[in-house]
Amino acid sequence: GERLGSESWAAQRTVPGTERCVVEGDAWPRARYECAGAPVQADRPDRAASQFALLSEQIDACLAKPSWHPRTWHRNEPFEFAMGERQQTWTDLSTLPPSAVVLKLQRGLSGDGYHVQLDLVTIR
């Protein structure tokens, strides 16, 4: 997609449930794919939590497919933070360095809303 910086591009496709995806880095294991959902108002944390839960279920179903073989994706224990923030990770230890899918429900820096963020990263 469109170049956004020296090693950053707008992704040509977005993950369902997100509205903006960016690719950072030009090769594995440095490359990172990040998608962000639309902001949800702070007074609607239930709506943000529902979006997080739905996307988490969809990721589970996707990573459980046999088409990932020989990858072995493992769902880790979820983390819950203060202010309703959450994180769910899946790791694949069949590659070095290991790869991870990280789903986050984060409160915006201004504190006026939440957004769901999906990162595909390499664990260093």
Side-chain angles (χ1 to χ4, degrees), residues 8-111:
S8 180
W9 297 267
Q12 293 180 349
R13 292 189 174 95
T14 59
V15 173
T18 65
E19 65 177 19
R20 180 187 59 83
C21 296
V22 175
V23 178
E24 295 178 350
D26 60 357
W28 186 86
R30 289 183 24 238
R32 175 179 162 165
Y33 184 72
E34 175 184 294
C35 296
V40 176
Q41 293 178 342
D43 62 351
R44 297 293 314 268
D46 55 330
R47 183 170 176 224
S50 294
Q51 288 178 352
F52 178 88
L54 178 62
L55 192 49
S56 181
E57 290 173 13
Q58 291 171 336
I59 293 169
D60 268 343
C62 177
L63 296 179
K65 292 181 179 181
S67 59
W68 284 101
H69 182 76
R71 301 271 182 154
T72 53
W73 290 102
H74 172 73
R75 180 184 172 123
N76 302 302
E77 290 296 319
F79 292 101
E80 292 195 24
F81 302 98
M83 309 284 290
E85 294 187 334
R86 299 175 186 174
Q87 179 174 306
Q88 177 65 60
T89 61
W90 296 260
T91 54
D92 170 33
L93 301 176
S94 69
T95 62
L96 290 176
S99 298
V101 174
V102 182
L103 181 63
K104 303 173 195 171
L105 175 59
Q106 297 179 311
R107 191 157 182 144
L109 293 176
S110 63

